Amino acid sequence: MTDWVKVAGALTAISAGSRTTVWGVNAASAIYRYTNYDASPWINIPGGLSDIGAASDGTTWGVNGGNQIYRYVGDSDGANPWKGIDGSLVRIDAGSRTNVWGVDSAGAIYRYTNHDANPWIKIPGALSDIGAGADVRGPEVSGQAPNRVVLNKETRKKWRHPVSTRRSSARKPSRSR
């Protein structure tokens, strides 16, 4: 079994797209990227975010305290490493460049359209948090609704609620006599 290694830092949100793509933000909204070197683990990235989502392909998105949405463009834009994207979200995650999801302050779910001119499409349902991933089977999305976790394997269809394995005390099985 792999042992956990404590890494210095004080992050309030963290996202790992892969072993080498790890980003986080702290309580002061400072943004950090993992260096893959535990002796000096974090490098500060200019900007300020309250939530961040890192994908396995290196794609990184974030939202700030004003619910503004940003995509990391690195050094391709000179002094500003973040490109503002229209919309308003409080939570965001990315599984890949083409698999980006978010939740707004009312709990509405949005999927990135891959077109900055019209960036978001609303998906039926409501969540308080969201997570996106990508693997060889294609993108997967999960989220958290009050008192339950939901999974949307198709990523564009309805949200399924997992079957509870816990038996309710209010409903007892009937007995045959």
Side-chain angles (χ1 to χ4, degrees):
M1 180 185 281
T2 304
D3 293 324
W4 288 91
V5 175
K6 183 173 175 77
V7 177
L11 302 175
T12 57
I14 191 165
S15 182
S18 71
R19 181 183 182 133
T20 59
T21 306
V22 182
W23 290 71
V25 297
N26 68 11
S29 298
I31 306 163
Y32 293 92
R33 184 176 61 206
Y34 185 61
T35 64
N36 296 299
Y37 180 63
D38 289 344
S40 181
W42 303 103
I43 183 170
N44 181 250
I45 303 297
L49 298 172
S50 58
D51 194 31
I52 197 157
S56 60
D57 63 6
T59 301
T60 304
W61 287 69
V63 295
N64 67 13
N67 303 343
Q68 295 170 309
I69 306 163
Y70 295 91
R71 181 177 58 230
Y72 184 70
V73 294
D75 58 5
S76 66
D77 191 21
N80 186 3
W82 298 97
K83 178 180 180 177
I85 304 296
D86 286 342
S88 176
L89 298 173
V90 295
R91 305 293 289 171
I92 197 162
D93 203 12
S96 69
R97 179 183 59 79
T98 60
N99 186 31
V100 181
W101 293 75
V103 176
D104 72 9
S105 60
I109 306 163
Y110 291 87
R111 180 180 53 85
Y112 181 59
T113 64
N114 298 302
H115 301 286
D116 289 350
N118 188 19
W120 303 101
I121 184 169
K122 189 173 181 180
I123 305 297
L127 298 172
S128 59
D129 199 2
I130 198 152
D135 64 19
V136 295
R137 295 170 293 159
E140 292 189 7
V141 178
S142 64
Q144 184 174 356
N147 301 317
R148 62 183 177 252
V149 175
V150 293
L151 175 66
N152 179 359
K153 285 200 175 239
E154 297 84 30
T155 71
R156 290 173 180 82
K157 306 295 179 196
K158 66 182 179 179
W159 294 88
R160 291 186 306 130
H161 300 281
V163 176
S164 174
T165 57
R166 199 172 48 174
R167 194 175 270 173
S168 170
S169 60
R171 193 176 124 217
K172 296 182 182 175
S174 60
R175 292 188 188 168
S176 320
R177 290 188 191 213

